[in-house]
Amino acid sequence: MKKVLLATALACMSLTQVDAAEQKIIRISTDNTDLVLQVAPNGRLYQSYFGEKLLHENDLKNLPWNIHAGSDGSVTPRGWEVYSGSGNEDYFEPAIAVTHSDGNPSTYLYYVSSSTQQVEGGTQTTINLRDDKYPVDVTLHYVAYPKENVIKTWSEIKHQEKKPVYLSRYASTMLYFNRTAYYLTEFSGDWAKEMQMSTQQLQPGKKILDTKLGSRAAMHMQPFFEVGLDQPADEQKGDVLMGTLGWTGNFRFTFEVDNAGNLRIIPAINPYASRYELKADEVFTTPEFIFTLSHEGTGAGSRNLQAWARNYQLKDGKGSRMTLLNNWENTAFNFNQEILAGLMKEAKHLGVDMFLLDDGWFGNKYPRKNDHAGLGDWEVTHDKLPGGIKALTDAAKEAGVKFGIWIEPEMVNPKSELFEKHPDWAIHYPNRDMYFYRNQLVLDLSNPKVQDYVYSVVDNILKETPEVAYFKWDCNSPITNIYSPYLKDKQGQLYIDHVRGVYNVMKRVKENHPDIPMMLCSGGGARCDYEALKYFTEFWCSDNTDPVERIFIQWGFSQFFPAKAMCAHVTSWNRNTSIKFRTDVASMCKLGFDLGLKDLSKDELTYCQEAVANWKRFQPAIMDGTQYRLVSPYESNHMAVNYVSQDKSQAILFAYDIHPRFQEKLMAVKLQGLNPDAMYKIEEINLMPHTASTLKANGKVLSGDYLMKVGLDVFGFAQTRSHVISITAQ
């Protein structure tokens, strides 16, 4: 009976029919995964398969359309439409919602054409869809990276109606699954407690992960997720979808389990307070959604994403990274030219590449003595730094290190000359008392004049002092007082146009100053998206530098990002842990220091100097090698991870006893990624002076096969103890 109803419905629908012999099959493939889309007889595009790569091309013709009559006997067909429109026969969450100029809220999209072309690293597939009643076009873009098993996708929406239309949904894509169960792992937290991982089974209905903060948007919820298929996501086994959205503003992930037990996943800009007016021929481009479908657990999925990022997305993804000494934990706002010159000499003595000057160097009418004033006034405080930035770069050159500087160009303190001159440049209500987050307001980057000003902060510094070698770009406040003086009656565009303005500035900086390394920071780890990382070499994971907390934070971020994109500094946040433990934890990522050498003993300083030298020696493995997460801190009282260089000649193992229980059972750590036939010398490094290794295998030469099947006994019962072990092919 259902087949009869479906056939009747398809035959009667007034739309562009597609002859069965000409039905289009679109295959988006990596070396491990197939995403297959198919034009059904009704002329619309459906997902017919998403899973492990099919070996035989001929099998594609036998895949189902995934279009069917409703379970209640309705004559209306619905199914896994690739970009389902609001107002059509699908009762579930749509990808796009358009209110046309005549007030009609429905959108039906039909296949028009598709094409493929080769791009760097892979193949781009472009699919054109069009409404049959209104001149509305949607273009779907997919770029498949075969070797890395990663696909990124985005959409473009435009129209030629005589009057503007209004968008209230604008997804990047839609993906569907038909499995027995779905388990969502989300990454959430707050300032100094980023990346708290939690897993739950998805039940019928919708689960939404989103943010409404506008700027510093990922403070409470990070823009990525994992979905374990049939079972919770596991490090070593099982199918798992890992996805992230390249958007540094409000995002929304929708996970909807329907009445038939199917799951649809919709990554998108959050439509909250964002009813977008789209003019004729204007193109609305959604963020890139980047995903990998791993068939060997999250470990393989992470390695897919990490390799893809280094190869194609991260700014200078194949370049080296500089170690550094930051002054913030040492001096805060209390420094002068002489103090900084002394710290630069400390940086050289430590063996790092660069000295980074943090907050507090700018403002004259309202000098930056604390976080209540000065933001927006990007001129050197004359009585604090009479020689300007030039004197600091000269001092760094004399000391033998590079010089970097902190900025927060998107923000303004009401107590600043900039706000006095241009109050209309800040986002705030015209008729209400202002409320502040961290004593500041967000500049309105939907305004092109404000974009020019924010760009000039970087541009002026580099023009006046081209010796500046690095920027730390911060963003400490969400959007408060949510009203744009520039947009006036188009406030529904603020959240979106502001973020586009942020990206415009970042893109402009990269185009005009392509070689300057930059750290992406947002009051900790509240900016960690792959669109911004096109313009930044690395990001700050968290203001929390307690090493135990950092083990968890770095474990979480490593699910989606390579180590060379993640900054980690050694500080004095937790003096109850040794300098060795703190440094070893930071050495898993891009290493930096934020403390005064005068606070270290002679042995501690010697240790740090040797640790820096070791990190540089193993940079090919840590920064550019393959990462294997071996022991999870979420599942034990220990943690271990190893990195292997691309040629497998060099590996390094980091192992940590966090808070082991008394006489708990300890297991050997089995390494991964080595050449089983190669012989490797085992040597514990990063040892405190006058301390011998307790590692039983220290100094031995063992096969890669042995190390991966038998492993090393590295764990013990001490609290917060660490081991760093070099594994070098002989």
Side-chain angles (χ1 to χ4, degrees), residues 243-265:
T244 180
L245 193 69
W247 187 248
T248 202
N250 294 344
F251 60 84
R252 183 166 104 165
F253 297 127
T254 302
F255 307 88
E256 186 168 23
V257 179
D258 68 16
N259 56 305
N262 300 316
L263 171 66
R264 73 172 60 185
I265 299 174

Side-chain angles (χ1 to χ4, degrees), residues 103-144:
N104 192 315
S106 64
T107 300
Y108 286 69
L109 296 173
Y110 297 94
Y111 175 82
V112 176
S113 63
S114 59
S115 61
T116 60
Q117 65 182 90
Q118 296 303 304
V119 295
E120 183 186 12
T123 302
Q124 179 168 331
T125 301
T126 302
I127 305 169
N128 299 304
L129 308 175
R130 181 176 298 155
D131 194 300
D132 65 329
K133 303 298 183 185
Y134 293 90
V136 172
D137 296 274
V138 173
T139 304
L140 309 179
H141 298 272
Y142 299 85
V143 180

Side-chain angles (χ1 to χ4, degrees), residues 231-306:
Q231 64 180 35
D234 182 88
E235 184 73 24
Q236 307 293 347
K237 63 182 184 297
D239 290 350
V240 56
L241 177 75
M242 303 173 68
T244 180
L245 193 69
W247 187 248
T248 202
N250 294 344
F251 60 84
R252 183 166 104 165
F253 297 127
T254 302
F255 307 88
E256 186 168 23
V257 179
D258 68 16
N259 56 305
N262 300 316
L263 171 66
R264 73 172 60 185
I265 299 174
I266 309 175
I269 296 173
N270 193 340
Y272 167 76
S274 298
R275 187 171 184 258
Y276 199 91
E277 179 183 293
L278 190 67
K279 298 176 182 177
D281 293 318
E282 179 184 353
V283 178
F284 186 101
T285 303
T286 70
E288 294 176 351
F289 176 62
I290 301 113
F291 62 95
T292 184
L293 181 62
S294 170
H295 311 293
E296 299 175 339
T298 56
S302 295
R303 290 186 285 276
N304 292 339
L305 290 165
Q306 291 164 0

Side-chain angles (χ1 to χ4, degrees), residues 511-564:
E511 287 174 346
N512 294 318
H513 306 285
D515 300 325
I516 189 80
M518 301 180 74
M519 180 200 296
L520 185 66
C521 181
S522 187
R527 266 196 179 157
C528 47
D529 68 282
Y530 268 123
E531 181 64 26
L533 285 171
K534 290 179 180 178
Y535 316 113
F536 288 77
T537 49
E538 55 224 54
F539 71 96
W540 181 234
C541 299
S542 177
D543 283 344
N544 188 341
T545 53
D546 176 288
V548 172
E549 296 299 324
R550 269 298 183 125
I551 283 175
F552 288 87
I553 291 169
Q554 292 168 195
W555 180 274
F557 274 120
S558 75
Q559 307 283 317
F560 292 89
F561 300 100
K564 74 186 320 175

Side-chain angles (χ1 to χ4, degrees), residues 353-372:
D353 304 301
M354 180 177 65
F355 172 78
L356 175 61
L357 172 60
D358 216 289
D359 195 358
W361 58 268
F362 51 91
N364 285 292
K365 182 177 180 180
Y366 302 106
R368 183 73 166 174
K369 297 178 180 178
N370 50 48
D371 65 4
H372 290 258

Side-chain angles (χ1 to χ4, degrees), residues 12 61 74 98 116 122 125 132 197 229 234 279 294 307 362 370 392 570 634 650 652 667-668 708:
C12 294
K61 294 184 292 185
S74 168
V98 181
T116 60
T125 301
D132 65 329
M197 296 174 63
L229 302 170
D234 182 88
K279 298 176 182 177
S294 170
F362 51 91
N370 50 48
L392 298 178
V570 183
Y634 282 93
Q650 185 187 67
I652 187 164
M667 303 297 294
M708 292 189 289

Side-chain angles (χ1 to χ4, degrees), residues 74 137 208 213 298 313 324 364 370 385 455 524 607 643 664:
S74 168
D137 296 274
I208 290 175
L213 299 175
T298 56
Q313 195 85 354
L324 61 84
N364 285 292
N370 50 48
L385 302 171
Y455 168 75
Y607 163 80
Y643 299 87
E664 66 173 87

Side-chain angles (χ1 to χ4, degrees), residues 435-478:
Y435 62 97
F436 307 111
Y437 191 100
R438 206 172 182 260
N439 310 300
Q440 61 196 65
L441 295 171
V442 179
L443 291 174
D444 182 5
L445 273 94
S446 69
N447 185 338
K449 290 183 179 179
V450 178
Q451 294 177 32
D452 289 343
Y453 179 79
V454 172
Y455 168 75
S456 75
V457 175
V458 175
D459 192 53
N460 289 343
I461 290 173
L462 290 176
K463 282 180 178 177
E464 294 169 7
T465 320
E467 295 83 4
V468 170
Y470 185 90
F471 283 94
K472 178 182 178 181
W473 181 311
D474 215 337
C475 169
N476 280 305
S477 178

